[in-house]
Amino acid sequence: MKNSDNRHGNGEVCSPEWGKGAHENGHGSDSDGVVLGLDGGTTSTVCVCIPLLSFSDHNLPNTVPILARAVAGCSNHNSVGESASKDTLEQVMAEALCKSGSTWSSVRAVCLGVSGVNHPKDQERILNWLRDIFPSHVKLYVHNDALAALASGTMGKLHGCVLIAGTGCICYGFSKDGREARAAGAGPVLGDWGSGYGIAAQALTAVVRAHDGRGPQTTLTHSILKVLGLSSPDELIGWTYADQSWARIAALVPEVVSCAEAGDQIANKILVDAVQELALSVKAVAQRLCLCGEDGNSSFPIVMVGGVLEANKSWDIGKEVINCIHERYPGAYPIRPTVEPAVGAALLACNFLMKESEGHCNS
């Protein structure tokens, strides 16, 4: 570990080596044990520790007891490299276990929802890291972070789809018979135009086009220059390429919404196009998984996650996306999660472990 001095509120040091002495002694002293849920993104990684829960699709938990919560940096291996990603995951799990008073050997299952997990090779890489950390009895599950976001809205039930629209965007779905599908999520270069980055980048392009005569005038020019402290659209070039952070550009979305609400047609079209893109992703996933049933009218949840989908005064992007989806799938219904994705991942760990146990009992 590069940074093993992780202190929590009472000053106790949480080292990743803490509790590892019990590895060879089976399941540790806790009779029921705990599970860990992780949500790993390009900005931060959150880990929660909860008791092992038992529930069914018809008896979902109303509340989730959180024993401990820890936060670390980026764990996307595509962004920080494999070594730093592995260190971050181990660090945040160690801190959560330490805060909860649990040991590595008291863990029954771990579920990671990590951005950048887009292929079985990505899953196997992280699973190999985890196998070096945990005793052999611990069940390990690794998925894309969209699955954790879905579970945060359905409280661990795997059915329906999640639409994430923040800096980036992705739609991920899961059918009742276990099939999975995704749409978008390939990054701004490959066309995530419904994302915060996509919306803001189109707004910046509109300002430049208006300035050089290739496009109509727009109030986006005054609004964006004012918020950035610039005096001329010419300065946008230097500002944009000085730091090409996706999040930095996506932060301009509120300016686009404000201009659209004030009646600017260019800003309005950018948002309408974003709504169409986001709705198209959900429709694609729903069709591939037949979430609407054979008659096209069956109900299924759409978990809505991300700042772009939050209510924005009168121009509510999330509401418009649902309205667009309802034109084809009237049974779709939105869910705003009441717990964070890391808790969703922990509930998935409980769900997966319980289904495995049921399978063994029935075999």
Side-chain angles (χ1 to χ4, degrees):
M1 284 293 298
K2 295 181 179 180
N3 180 16
S4 60
D5 188 11
N6 303 300
R7 300 177 183 271
H8 56 74
N10 62 12
E12 181 181 352
V13 175
C14 291
S15 167
E17 298 301 320
W18 185 86
K20 283 190 177 179
H23 273 202
E24 304 302 324
N25 299 321
H27 291 222
S29 59
D30 294 350
S31 57
D32 295 324
V34 298
V35 299
L36 297 177
L38 282 85
D39 172 39
T42 54
T43 302
S44 63
T45 301
V46 178
C47 178
V48 298
C49 179
I50 70 171
L52 179 61
L53 303 176
S54 179
F55 58 89
S56 69
D57 288 349
H58 303 290
N59 183 30
L60 300 175
N62 293 321
T63 59
V64 181
I66 309 297
L67 301 177
R69 180 180 186 272
V71 182
C74 173
S75 57
N76 186 326
H77 66 91
N78 293 323
S79 300
V80 297
E82 292 189 12
S83 179
S85 176
K86 180 180 179 181
D87 285 349
T88 297
L89 293 175
E90 187 168 354
Q91 169 193 334
V92 76
M93 290 187 294
E95 184 176 351
L97 286 174
C98 183
K99 286 181 176 180
S100 70
S102 305
T103 66
W104 296 93
S105 291
S106 66
V107 178
R108 296 294 175 264
V110 182
C111 182
L112 278 72
V114 187
S115 65
V117 175
N118 301 309
H119 189 274
K121 289 183 179 179
D122 300 323
Q123 290 177 304
E124 190 59 32
R125 178 189 299 108
I126 297 177
L127 283 170
N128 287 335
W129 299 347
L130 297 179
R131 291 185 186 111
D132 290 337
I133 299 173
F134 289 98
S136 59
H137 73 270
V138 180
K139 298 296 183 180
L140 306 172
Y141 311 100
V142 176
H143 298 277
N144 184 275
D145 58 337
L147 193 66
L150 171 62
S152 72
T154 61
M155 298 301 283
K157 181 179 179 180
L158 286 179
H159 175 241
C161 62
V162 58
L163 177 63
I164 303 175
T167 299
C169 64
I170 186 174
C171 181
Y172 185 92
F174 206 95
S175 67
K176 289 182 178 179
D177 59 4
R179 291 177 296 120
E180 304 173 50
R182 61 176 283 177
V189 175
L190 297 178
D192 285 351
W193 305 127
S195 67
Y197 179 95
I199 292 171
Q202 290 180 74
L204 290 172
T205 300
V207 171
V208 173
R209 288 175 63 86
H211 179 62
D212 64 21
R214 288 179 295 145
Q217 294 301 306
T218 169
T219 58
L220 286 167
T221 299
H222 173 74
S223 180
I224 289 177
L225 292 181
K226 181 179 180 181
V227 76
L228 296 181
L230 304 178
S231 59
S232 168
D234 290 326
E235 297 178 43
L236 278 178
I237 300 173
W239 179 87
T240 300
Y241 294 108
D243 178 359
Q244 299 179 50
S245 165
W246 297 359
R248 175 172 172 260
I249 292 175
L252 296 173
V253 168
E255 305 307 314
V256 185
V257 173
S258 295
C259 288
E261 290 176 340
D264 187 274
Q265 292 304 304
I266 301 301
N268 189 74
K269 185 179 186 306
I270 290 172
L271 296 186
V272 169
D273 288 347
V275 166
Q276 294 292 328
E277 281 288 326
L278 293 171
L280 185 61
S281 295
V282 175
K283 291 175 183 178
V285 169
Q287 180 176 3
R288 287 165 61 191
L289 297 179
C290 199
L291 295 178
C292 57
E294 295 297 331
D295 59 1
N297 294 319
S298 297
S299 63
F300 64 92
I302 303 174
V303 179
M304 311 282 282
V305 178
V308 169
L309 300 175
E310 294 175 359
N312 289 292
K313 301 180 182 178
S314 61
W315 224 119
D316 189 335
I317 297 175
K319 180 180 178 180
E320 294 302 321
V321 169
I322 292 298
N323 289 341
C324 188
I325 294 169
H326 278 166
E327 294 174 2
R328 182 169 179 181
Y329 300 124
Y333 59 93
I335 294 177
R336 302 282 182 174
T338 57
V339 299
E340 63 181 328
V343 176
L347 290 173
L348 280 178
C350 294
N351 194 355
F352 290 148
L353 186 60
M354 183 175 60
K355 289 185 181 303
E356 282 195 23
S357 299
E358 291 174 352
H360 292 153
C361 291
N362 295 329
S363 62

